[in-house]
């Protein structure tokens, strides 16, 4: 699996007082993280044509957001290292790289990097990407020294070894609660549309119409390009609070309602059969778990962790069943 993958696995699992149950599956999972870091760096290097260093002045809310999230990550990592909570330090780097930098900022930056919004915006995105990547490499270097050193020397500019550079320090001036609040809503909206598409089984390649009621509609209009591209949306209609919508797939995200018209996208008869079959399968599994949880021998003899997992699984299935019923009612209408 490689030295860095093994080191990161040991660090991520090494909570104080915990005995590590080592398995190759766990190492493989963290090897995927190393690959994610490598691939994000490779993407960055492929999009640095014309790069020039300069003042790091973010222009878009997404730039302010990623720089603010970076500062919070630096704070968590430094505090965790000071308190010998090495697993929390590794977890913070993992979360930031994968679920914020790669999943969102890089994806949002792609149109600007292609020159769609002009050379000035492209230059801003390049500088932010390089800066954030540099800080990620420094934060991760104590745990994964080899891959970070390799990537470090591939970035623009003359560079000494990464081990000689100052460790990142949190910059309170970069913290931006407004940007974090706005981006949290935008991300939740995109996830909500994706989840709704999945719930009603809309084909992955199909573009959908979306109606939005409530929420920060002015901000969504400003960032509509991102929503359309990342959630495969053809158009967005902005509804007033009093407008009533019926017969459409519905989801609620924070203070906003999302509607997707499904007529013409799906074979309703086939979908009704599929959902009923899925409901039967879920109901049978719930019944099996319920019988297990009613069995005194299981409750008294099984490890507490297994009992808790069984309860959690039953709760998850009950939530899934409720969602399936909602979708079936939509198709029945």
């Amino acid at each position: 699996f490689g030295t860095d993958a093994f080191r990161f696995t040991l660090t991520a699992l090494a909570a104080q007082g915990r005995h590590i149950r080592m398995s190759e599956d766990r190492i493989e999972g963290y090897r995927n993280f190393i690959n994610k870091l490598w691939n994000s760096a490779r993407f960055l290097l492929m999009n640095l044509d014309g790069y020039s260093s300069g003042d790091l002045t973010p222009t878009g809310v997404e730039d302010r957001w990623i720089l603010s999230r970076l500062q919070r990550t630096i704070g968590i990592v430094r505090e965790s290292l000071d308190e010998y909570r090495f697993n929390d330090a590794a977890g913070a780097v993992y979360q930031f790289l994968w679920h914020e930098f790669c999943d969102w900022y890089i994806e949002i930056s792609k149109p600007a990097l292609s020159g769609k919004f002009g050379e000035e915006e492209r230059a801003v995105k390049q500088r932010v990407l390089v800066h954030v990547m540099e800080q990620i490499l420094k934060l991760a270097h104590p745990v994964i020294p080899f891959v970070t050193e390799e990537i470090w020397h591939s970035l623009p500019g003359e560079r000494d070894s990464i081990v000689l550079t100052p460790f990142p320090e949190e910059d309170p001036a970069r913290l931006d609660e407004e940007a974090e609040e706005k981006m949290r809503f935008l991300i939740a909206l995109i996830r909500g549309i994706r989840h709704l598409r999945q719930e009603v089984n809309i084909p992955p390649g199909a573009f959908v119409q979306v109606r939005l009621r409530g929420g920060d509609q002015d901000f969504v209009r400003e960032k509509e390009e991102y929503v359309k591209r990342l959630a495969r949306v053809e158009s967005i209609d902005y509804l007033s609070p009093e407008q009533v919508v019926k017969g459409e797939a519905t989801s609620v995200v924070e203070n906003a309602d999302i509607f997707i018209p499904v007529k013409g996208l799906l074979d309703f008869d086939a979908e009704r059969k599929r959902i009923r079959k899925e409901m039967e399968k879920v109901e049978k599994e719930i019944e099996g778990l319920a019988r297990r949880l009613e069995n005194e021998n299981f409750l008294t003899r099984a490890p507490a962790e297994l009992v808790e997992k069984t309860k959690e699984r039953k709760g998850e299935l009950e939530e899934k069943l409720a969602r399936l019923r909602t979708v079936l009612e939509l198709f029945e209408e």
Side-chain angles (χ1 to χ4, degrees):
F1 293 98
T3 305
D4 279 337
F6 188 53
R7 287 172 62 103
F8 199 90
T9 304
L10 291 174
T11 309
L13 297 179
Q16 292 186 27
R18 175 184 180 181
H19 293 287
I20 298 175
R21 183 172 295 175
M22 181 55 63
S23 73
E24 290 192 9
D25 288 343
R26 290 181 183 273
I27 306 172
E28 185 175 1
Y30 287 114
R31 181 184 63 183
N32 293 340
F33 168 77
I34 306 296
N35 289 340
K36 192 77 170 178
L37 175 60
W38 184 266
N39 289 335
S40 62
R42 190 169 65 171
F43 169 82
L44 173 58
L45 294 169
M46 289 170 56
N47 287 276
L48 288 184
D49 291 343
Y51 171 79
S52 62
S53 59
D55 292 337
L56 191 64
T57 306
T59 54
V61 66
E62 65 275 10
D63 306 321
R64 291 159 42 210
W65 168 75
I66 197 65
L67 292 173
S68 183
R69 296 302 304 157
L70 172 63
Q71 301 315 310
R72 297 196 191 281
T73 302
I74 291 171
I76 293 170
V77 171
R78 291 187 69 95
E79 181 181 344
S80 299
L81 293 178
D82 287 343
E83 297 179 359
Y84 298 94
R85 292 183 287 107
F86 303 120
N87 59 306
D88 289 341
V93 175
Y94 183 103
Q95 168 68 27
F96 178 72
L97 170 76
W98 196 307
H99 298 300
E100 294 179 313
F101 186 59
C102 292
D103 282 357
W104 294 105
Y105 188 73
I106 285 180
E107 291 301 318
I108 285 172
S109 299
K110 286 180 178 178
L113 291 172
S114 70
K116 185 172 184 177
F117 304 131
E119 286 305 309
E120 184 178 346
E121 182 63 19
R122 184 169 183 265
V124 169
K125 289 291 187 288
Q126 288 177 332
R127 287 172 190 155
V128 172
L129 283 163
V130 169
H131 173 76
V132 175
M133 177 57 71
E134 287 175 336
Q135 303 307 302
I136 289 172
L137 294 175
K138 291 180 184 181
L139 292 172
H141 180 69
V143 183
I144 47 175
F146 302 108
V147 70
T148 50
E149 184 80 42
E150 181 72 18
I151 296 172
W152 177 258
H153 287 288
S154 69
L155 295 177
E158 295 292 326
R159 297 172 180 272
D160 289 326
S161 171
I162 190 173
V163 78
L164 301 176
T165 62
F167 200 72
E169 292 190 36
E170 190 175 359
D171 180 2
R174 290 283 186 198
L175 294 174
D176 193 325
E177 291 187 7
E178 181 191 16
E180 290 191 37
E181 181 73 21
K182 284 180 174 291
M183 283 300 296
R184 189 177 74 237
F185 172 72
L186 190 71
I187 290 169
L189 176 65
I190 294 169
R191 281 178 172 155
I193 295 170
R194 289 173 176 174
H195 183 70
L196 190 54
R197 292 174 59 109
Q198 188 177 12
E199 286 277 291
V200 297
N201 205 34
I202 294 173
F207 283 84
V208 298
Q209 290 180 307
V210 168
R211 306 183 203 275
L212 181 65
R213 184 174 64 196
D216 190 346
Q217 295 192 358
D218 290 338
F219 179 59
V220 177
R221 281 190 175 93
E222 181 186 337
K223 301 299 179 183
E224 193 172 291
E225 167 76 19
Y226 300 151
V227 180
K228 287 181 174 179
R229 190 170 61 84
L230 296 176
R232 299 192 75 80
V233 171
E234 183 178 353
S235 63
I236 303 176
D237 295 330
Y238 298 92
L239 309 180
S240 59
E242 65 274 4
Q243 285 185 268
V244 177
V245 179
K246 291 185 177 180
E248 298 183 4
T250 309
S251 182
V252 179
V253 173
E254 295 189 8
N255 59 343
D257 299 315
I258 304 168
F259 304 96
I260 296 180
V262 291
K263 189 174 181 181
L265 288 172
L266 302 169
D267 180 338
F268 285 1
D269 288 336
E271 286 303 308
R272 281 193 286 266
K273 290 177 183 176
R274 180 187 67 81
I275 293 168
R276 289 193 185 105
K277 187 175 180 180
E278 181 70 12
M279 287 175 67
E280 288 177 9
K281 181 180 174 183
V282 173
E283 285 170 346
K284 284 181 181 178
E285 191 171 348
I286 290 173
E287 288 172 7
L289 294 173
R291 284 195 298 270
R292 183 180 296 180
L293 290 170
E294 290 168 1
N295 187 323
E296 284 299 322
N297 285 333
F298 173 75
L299 294 175
T300 56
R301 295 181 181 179
E305 184 180 349
L306 178 58
V307 174
E308 190 59 34
K309 283 185 178 179
T310 304
K311 290 178 180 178
E312 288 176 5
R313 176 62 178 164
K314 182 172 177 284
E316 290 169 1
L317 288 170
E318 287 170 344
E319 289 178 9
K320 182 178 181 179
L321 185 61
R323 292 196 303 270
L324 287 169
R325 284 198 182 106
T326 301
V327 176
L328 183 61
E329 288 171 6
L330 169 69
F331 291 147
E332 295 288 3
E333 290 177 11

